[in-house]
């Protein structure tokens, strides 16, 4: 709706309603007459309303009856209005119209989680079918530089270890050789990773480029290693894919699936978490295959499994 309706040119203007002659009405006023009328000719005047808008005025004598809808049409319209208050998914009735999609709040929540579940499987299938997709798993102990530092690259499609080595101490020639090897091996590949908190130590690839508990390295090496970009939208995460498939949320009011935390109960991760990055990478590649095949189980309390309405639900804007 415009903030104001400008006046029409070459028509008389009335600035007060009491100035409007008895034989002139607005389109809305004509429609409210008994029987309802509609303009039969063009406007002959206009009246100011709301201080900055003009409504066209029409002659009552030139007006014609509005076409009346049949009883059958009225019934169809009444039914359509009634359906606006009824959830198309669960059938519950609400006091307010449900709007586009016609989903109640609980069903909109469930539908959103189901769509994330469906999208996670689609992404897993895309990665499994991509011969260039690779899992990059790093294991960098945050408190002790020389200990428990390793890296592995696993092909997703064939589930083969493409590279596995000790990461070496930060700033050492061994670490530099690992970075150079990763640059060559991962060039042009689609990189999948496991986030930090899901492993026994720091799992983020950019941990290879920084000191423990420090900010990003400022030596200029970061732009040289695109596979280590922090929070990269281009690089998928095994945890994000699995969380969307699994359907667990820490709050019933949340529509974002997430990975269970340690305090959330007995929900073990479906892949190994050890000090062997190659073994963990093979386990995660197997998980992607199970999600793609639909054999990986979802959370037994996932919203769409509890009420049984999620499967085969068509996509709808939430």
């Amino acid at each position: 709706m415009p903030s104001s309706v400008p006046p029409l040119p070459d028509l008389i203007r009335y600035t007060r309603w009491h100035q409007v002659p008895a034989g002139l009405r607005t389109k809305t006023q004509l429609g409210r007459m008994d029987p309802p009328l509609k303009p039969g000719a063009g406007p002959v005047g206009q009246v100011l309303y709301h201080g900055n808008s003009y409504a066209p005025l029409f002659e009552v004598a030139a007006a014609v009856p509005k076409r009346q809808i049949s009883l059958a049409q009225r019934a169809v319209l009444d039914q359509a209005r009634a359906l606006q208050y009824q959830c198309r998914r669960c059938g519950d009735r609400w006091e307010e119209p449900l709007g586009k999609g016609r989903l109640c709040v609980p069903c909109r929540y469930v539908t959103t989680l189901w769509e994330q579940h469906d999208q996670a499987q689609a992404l897993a299938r895309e990665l499994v079918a991509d011969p260039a997709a690779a899992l990059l798993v790093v294991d960098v102990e945050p408190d002790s530089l020389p200990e428990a530092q390793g890296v592995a690259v696993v092909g997703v499609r064939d589930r083969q270890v493409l590279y596995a080595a000790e990461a070496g101490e930060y700033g050492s020639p061994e670490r530099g050789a690992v970075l150079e090897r990763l640059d060559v091996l991962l060039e042009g590949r689609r990189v999948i990773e496991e986030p930090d908190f899901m492993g026994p130590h720091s799992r983020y690839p950019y941990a290879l480029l920084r000191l423990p508990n420090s900010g990003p390295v400022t030596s200029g090496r970061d732009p040289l290693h695109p596979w280590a970009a922090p929070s990269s939208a281009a690089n998928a995460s095994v945890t994000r894919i699995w969380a969307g498939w699994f359907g667990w949320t820490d709050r019933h009011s949340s529509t974002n699936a997430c990975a269970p935390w340690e305090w959330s109960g007995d929900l073990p991760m479906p892949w190994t978490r050890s000090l062997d990055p190659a073994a963990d990478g093979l386990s995660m590649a197997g998980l992607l295959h199970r999600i793609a095949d639909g054999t990986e189980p979802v959370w037994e309390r996932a919203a769409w499994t509890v009420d049984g309405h999620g499967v085969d639900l068509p996509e709808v804007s939430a």
Side-chain angles (χ1 to χ4, degrees), residues 197-247:
F197 67 87
M198 303 309 303
H201 301 300
S202 182
R203 293 289 202 183
Y204 286 117
Y206 65 80
L208 292 168
L209 307 178
R210 55 183 287 187
L211 285 166
N213 303 320
S214 69
V217 178
T218 58
S219 63
R221 293 187 62 87
D222 284 341
L224 302 180
H225 310 291
W227 47 265
S231 304
S232 173
N235 296 346
S237 161
V238 171
T239 303
R240 188 175 69 226
I241 296 172
W242 175 77
W245 169 265
F246 192 60

Side-chain angles (χ1 to χ4, degrees), residues 164-219:
E166 293 184 0
E169 187 175 348
Y170 175 83
S172 66
E174 293 79 11
R175 175 68 62 86
V178 167
L179 297 179
E180 292 176 1
R181 176 62 178 150
L182 291 176
D183 289 340
V184 174
L185 187 61
L186 297 177
E187 184 178 4
R189 286 184 176 270
R190 189 168 184 179
V191 179
I192 306 99
E193 58 190 42
E194 174 193 14
D196 167 82
F197 67 87
M198 303 309 303
H201 301 300
S202 182
R203 293 289 202 183
Y204 286 117
Y206 65 80
L208 292 168
L209 307 178
R210 55 183 287 187
L211 285 166
N213 303 320
S214 69
V217 178
T218 58
S219 63

Side-chain angles (χ1 to χ4, degrees), residues 41-147:
V44 296
Q46 53 196 328
V47 61
L48 180 67
Y49 71 102
H50 289 172
N52 60 353
S53 297
Y54 282 86
L57 295 170
F58 304 89
E59 291 182 337
V60 177
V64 296
K66 293 184 67 175
R67 186 172 66 90
Q68 299 297 307
I69 63 174
S70 65
L71 294 178
Q73 290 173 323
R74 174 64 66 183
V76 171
L77 290 175
D78 291 342
Q79 183 181 13
R81 292 191 184 97
L83 287 176
Q84 290 298 315
Y85 295 83
Q86 183 176 1
C87 177
R88 70 175 184 84
R89 184 170 180 272
C90 65
D92 288 350
R93 296 193 63 82
W94 290 68
E95 294 182 357
E96 298 292 333
L98 298 178
K100 184 179 180 181
R102 213 159 49 79
L103 292 171
C104 63
V105 174
C107 286
R108 188 178 297 115
Y109 156 78
V110 173
T111 303
T112 302
L113 290 176
W114 168 257
E115 289 175 351
Q116 293 178 18
H117 165 85
D118 196 44
Q119 291 166 2
Q121 184 179 49
L123 180 55
R125 288 175 174 172
E126 182 181 328
L127 294 172
V128 167
D130 185 356
L135 271 161
L136 173 60
V137 185
V138 300
D139 188 7
V140 182
E141 169 59 54
D143 299 321
S144 179
L145 283 175
E147 298 179 3

Side-chain angles (χ1 to χ4, degrees), residues 1 8 14-15 39 69 82 96 99 109 124 131-132 139 151-152 156 164 166 177 196 235 257 272 275 281 305 318:
M1 288 290 293
L8 297 172
Y14 301 99
T15 58
I69 63 174
E96 298 292 333
Y109 156 78
D139 188 7
V151 62
V156 176
E166 293 184 0
D196 167 82
N235 296 346
T272 60
L275 298 180
T305 66

